[in-house]
Amino acid sequence: MKRTNFTEVRVFVFQGFSNFQENQLTLFVVFFVLYILTLTGNFIIVTIIRIDHRLHTPMYFFLSVLSTSETFYSLVIIPRMLGSLVGLSQSISLECCGIQLFFFLGFGIINCLLLAVMGYDRSVAICNPLRYNIIMNWRVCVILASSVCVTGFLFALVQAVSIFRLPFCKTLIEHFFCDVRPILDLACTVPVFNTILTLLLTFMVITAPATFLFVSYVLIISTILKIASAEGRKKTFATCASHLTVVIIHYGCASIAYFKPKSDNSKDQDQLISVTYTVITPLLNPVVYSLRNKEVQDALRKVLCRKYLS
């Protein structure tokens, strides 16, 4: 069989926000402010949980892991994006693109799976409160968090290796970072194996956890409705309201991004969706948990008062 020869591509070029040339400075300022708020907010969440002993519970342990993951998730994407907006190099080597894709997928998958684990934690706390401390002991929490991290990076490695073993015929990435679909668009040919693998990983990372969370919240809501007093129902639901808010937005954005049919006429729309889950979603964690969670608010107020008085 005759072997097809492909020109070896070693460097890619991001299209970035070239369609918004006149607004690039404004975009830089907006994204930079959101980036600083994300780093600051997640740092505060992790610090507050670490120093306030009242927050040394499984729910806040998983929240601190999620905030840490969200921070690194932002670091993988946003600094280079900000650089491109102020005229720095739009090119990226094949190896650096592979590394960026690996860490982007790794931390993204970790975030999705952690939200599912946090849903399980809330369902045990509400549906089986008498056995909560036995089921969700610290050994179990560490094993769950470690398993999520290993699984996330393992899935990311499989996907990244399968993509970057392909020959590439084009160099222009119609995006502002190395994501699965834009990189596959550059390949000379995409084997059926890659298509099936991408669908399988998407199912395991988005569909399966989302289904698990849906079932968990059905059980949670049915348990809450059995509580006699309205005040008791309100108080119980408040313990998972922040998590539910983050879940809906996070999985909503991920589903739109990875299940939306491909269209040549929606590049700007795809970028808008990508901005939502790479820039805005990581900021949701500290915002939602600080605005809607009384325990975090009290802990933050206590730390600020202590620092002010000292």
Side-chain angles (χ1 to χ4, degrees), residues 105-117:
L105 290 175
F107 289 116
I109 294 170
I110 287 170
N111 295 341
C112 286
L113 298 181
L114 269 175
L115 286 172
V117 170

Side-chain angles (χ1 to χ4, degrees), residues 274-289:
S274 297
V275 166
T276 302
Y277 70 77
T278 57
V279 180
I280 298 175
T281 302
L283 181 60
L284 287 176
N285 226 18
V287 169
V288 171
Y289 275 96

Side-chain angles (χ1 to χ4, degrees), residues 155 159 180 195-209 254-255 258-259:
F155 283 1
Q159 180 71 292
V180 174
T195 303
I196 294 174
L197 178 64
T198 301
L199 288 173
L200 180 62
L201 289 179
T202 303
F203 172 80
M204 295 174 68
V205 170
I206 298 176
T207 308
S255 299
Y258 289 99
F259 290 115

Side-chain angles (χ1 to χ4, degrees), residues 4-10 166-171 186 188:
T4 304
N5 292 319
F6 298 109
T7 302
E8 186 177 20
V9 173
R10 304 298 304 175
L166 300 175
F168 296 100
C169 290
K170 293 182 283 187
T171 60
L186 307 183
C188 303

Side-chain angles (χ1 to χ4, degrees), residues 85-106:
L85 285 171
V86 293
L88 298 182
S89 176
Q90 295 272 32
S91 62
I92 186 171
S93 68
L94 183 73
E95 293 78 13
C96 288
C97 188
I99 291 171
Q100 185 184 53
L101 178 67
F102 167 72
F103 283 109
F104 162 71
L105 290 175

Side-chain angles (χ1 to χ4, degrees), residues 116-170:
V117 170
M118 292 171 74
Y120 172 70
D121 170 72
R122 290 298 82 207
S123 67
V124 174
I126 293 172
C127 301
N128 202 351
L130 297 179
R131 299 192 61 216
Y132 177 70
N133 291 328
I134 298 174
I135 297 173
M136 297 301 295
N137 60 66
W138 283 111
R139 181 173 176 273
V140 170
C141 292
V142 171
I143 290 174
L144 285 172
S146 302
S147 300
V148 162
C149 293
V150 171
T151 302
F153 285 123
L154 182 61
F155 283 1
L157 181 63
V158 171
Q159 180 71 292
V161 169
S162 71
I163 291 175
F164 282 89
R165 292 183 65 184
L166 300 175
F168 296 100
C169 290
K170 293 182 283 187

